[in-house]
Amino acid sequence: MTSQEIQSLTNQYIMNTYGRFPVTIDHGEGATLYTPEGTRYIDFTSGIGVSDLGYGCAPWADAIAVQAKKVGHTSNLFYTEPPARLAEILCRRTGMSCVFFANGGGEANEGLIKLARKYSFDKYGQGRAAVITLNNSFHGRTITTLKATGQEVFHNYFFPFTEGFRYANANDLDSLEAAAGDDVCAVLVELVQGEGGVLPLDPAYVRALAKLCAERDWLLLADEVQTGVGRTGSLFAFQQYGVVPDAVSFAKGIAGGMPMSGILAGEKCRDVLGPGTHATTFGANPVCAAAGLVVQETLTEEFLAAVREKGAYLRERIEALDLPCFGKTRGMGLMIGIEVRGGCSNKEIANKLIEHGLLVLTAGPGMRLLPPLVITKEEMDQGLAIMKAALA
Ligand SMILES: *Cc1c(COP(=O)(O)O)cnc(C)c1O
């Protein structure tokens, strides 16, 4: 089918919930994507932080094929090897105690919220169920995680929302105190706010927050759906902040493009969700877990160091272009935000870059770049050349 035919069919038969760019993807290699007609794009999006190994990665595709031929799904009533091995690696590399596997980021965050409420219920009884989240956060699209999201625009249409969420300003302990109370059981944060505009939390604030949570027996919950799995240059962002959350959610990059998510729980929380309290049919799918194992094999310490170097290189070169519409950059590793200035709109900039052959994302009022972690210097330079040609 041609690009145009695929777009028409999609627009007719897939529910119109996404604002799509007029680009049809057929295949890719590394950080480069092609349309059915062979038009080439440098990809600074990874399918929103998912395809960390890029496209056409042979070991990843082979691991999926091998596991699919053995057994594609069994349910969690039985045991399979790939999720057990993946959970072991994640725990060993983070110091966490155990994993619950799910399918998407919002669902993983629902798990974190259930974990926090049950932890508190078991210890203190009812009435201590409030979760504090941060303004400008994003935690998902379910009825509960929409309400956990600290942006008013998301609290619309779908009433009634789940009760028990209060919001504080990022990097502001006074604001956190104002949201505190006897009814609080947890604080849920993104260490780098992703959808909100690539806004890293201040390390001193995160350390003070961890201390406060420990003193009051509030669970510290990290939503690492976007920041996790090497994106920020460490396996999880919390490892660069020098704090250990009680539980952490992950999703996007965990299986390099296969749908998988989950939560990592520390020792204190390992037995909170017992048999019958939490489950999902597709969770811990062995094909997805086999893909996740290839991601873990790829993300060595040297690889993560290279992610930090690539991120620093891209930010330095973008700022050196000194484009009229781009201000300062920010972020961690290959999670990069660019401030938009000079009265430009981030949507217009994204459209212009895509017309010139560079796929990019927006976040908050600015631009967001989440290239595949395997992106090469040549691909980064080609992307930078497109930025210069399109925006100078
Ligand atoms: C993408 C994202 C989510 C939602 O993940 P889905 O897989 O779309 O449900 C939640 N939290 C953060 C921080 C995200 O970036």
Side-chain angles (χ1 to χ4, degrees), residues 104-107 109 138-141 190 194-195 223 225-226 251-252:
E107 188 193 355
N109 288 333
F138 181 77
H139 297 298
R141 295 282 188 169
E190 297 162 272
E195 305 300 316
D223 176 349
V225 166
Q226 191 159 156
K252 292 190 163 87

Side-chain angles (χ1 to χ4, degrees), residues 226-256:
Q226 191 159 156
T227 52
V229 202
R231 177 55 53 189
T232 65
S234 51
L235 190 59
F236 285 91
F238 78 79
Q239 296 168 307
Q240 288 181 71
Y241 275 90
V243 298
V244 182
D246 294 296
V248 179
S249 60
F250 57 84
K252 292 190 163 87
I254 187 71

Side-chain angles (χ1 to χ4, degrees), residues 33-262:
L33 288 166
Y34 298 88
T35 67
E37 292 76 23
T39 304
R40 186 169 181 272
Y41 291 91
I42 297 294
D43 178 37
F44 280 5
T45 74
S46 322
I48 321 188
V50 170
S51 306
D52 35 22
L53 306 187
Y55 309 100
C57 173
W60 178 82
D62 291 346
I64 291 169
V66 166
Q67 184 58 43
K69 282 183 184 165
K70 287 173 79 176
V71 65
H73 172 83
T74 57
S75 88
N76 287 294
L77 300 176
F78 310 106
Y79 291 86
T80 58
E81 181 178 320
R85 286 181 48 214
L86 181 58
E88 180 196 21
I89 293 169
L90 290 171
C91 289
R92 290 225 168 135
R93 296 187 74 176
T94 58
M96 300 300 273
S97 179
C98 62
V99 177
F100 176 87
F101 284 115
N103 310 285
E107 188 193 355
N109 288 333
E110 288 264 353
L112 284 184
I113 294 160
K114 283 180 70 178
L115 177 80
R117 287 186 169 179
K118 177 124 184 330
Y119 171 84
S120 191
F121 180 90
D122 289 348
K123 200 161 166 183
Y124 303 98
Q126 266 189 32
R128 192 175 176 280
V131 177
I132 301 174
T133 68
L134 298 182
N135 286 319
N136 211 33
S137 57
F138 181 77
H139 297 298
R141 295 282 188 169
T142 66
I143 298 280
T144 297
T145 57
L146 277 174
K147 192 65 177 171
T149 292
Q151 301 186 48
E152 265 310 309
V153 292
F154 288 100
H155 306 162
N156 205 353
Y157 316 123
F158 309 113
F159 307 100
F161 289 95
T162 307
E163 290 171 37
F165 291 95
R166 291 208 292 274
Y167 313 98
N169 294 329
N171 298 323
D172 181 345
L173 286 171
D174 293 338
S175 170
L176 192 77
E177 283 295 358
D182 293 342
D183 59 341
V184 171
C185 67
V187 180
L188 168 63
V189 299
E190 297 162 272
L191 293 165
V192 183
Q193 295 189 324
E195 305 300 316
V198 191
L199 305 163
L201 292 186
D202 174 9
Y205 167 78
V206 174
R207 285 193 297 273
L209 171 62
K211 189 158 165 277
L212 198 66
C213 286
E215 282 165 14
R216 305 202 182 162
D217 201 16
W218 298 342
L219 294 190
L220 176 59
L221 308 175
D223 176 349
E224 293 234 27
V225 166
Q226 191 159 156
T227 52
V229 202
R231 177 55 53 189
T232 65
S234 51
L235 190 59
F236 285 91
F238 78 79
Q239 296 168 307
Q240 288 181 71
Y241 275 90
V243 298
V244 182
D246 294 296
V248 179
S249 60
F250 57 84
K252 292 190 163 87
I254 187 71
M258 295 294 278
M260 184 174 230
S261 74

Side-chain angles (χ1 to χ4, degrees), residues 286-354:
V287 178
C288 298
L293 285 168
V294 178
V295 172
Q296 290 301 316
E297 280 158 24
T298 308
L299 267 53
T300 60
E301 289 308 316
E302 296 92 299
F303 184 95
L304 293 172
V307 169
R308 296 193 292 273
E309 280 160 26
K310 289 176 201 182
Y313 176 79
L314 255 188
R315 285 180 59 182
E316 183 203 311
R317 291 302 162 106
I318 289 167
E319 292 192 2
L321 288 176
D322 198 25
L323 297 169
C325 56
F326 281 177
K328 282 253 170 290
T329 66
R330 58 179 172 252
M332 279 168 74
L334 282 171
M335 181 169 182
I336 298 172
I338 312 171
E339 191 190 308
V340 165
R341 65 178 179 188
C344 306
S345 106
N346 59 357
K347 292 280 183 309
E348 275 166 31
I349 294 171
N351 277 310
K352 212 161 192 183
L353 289 172
I354 290 171

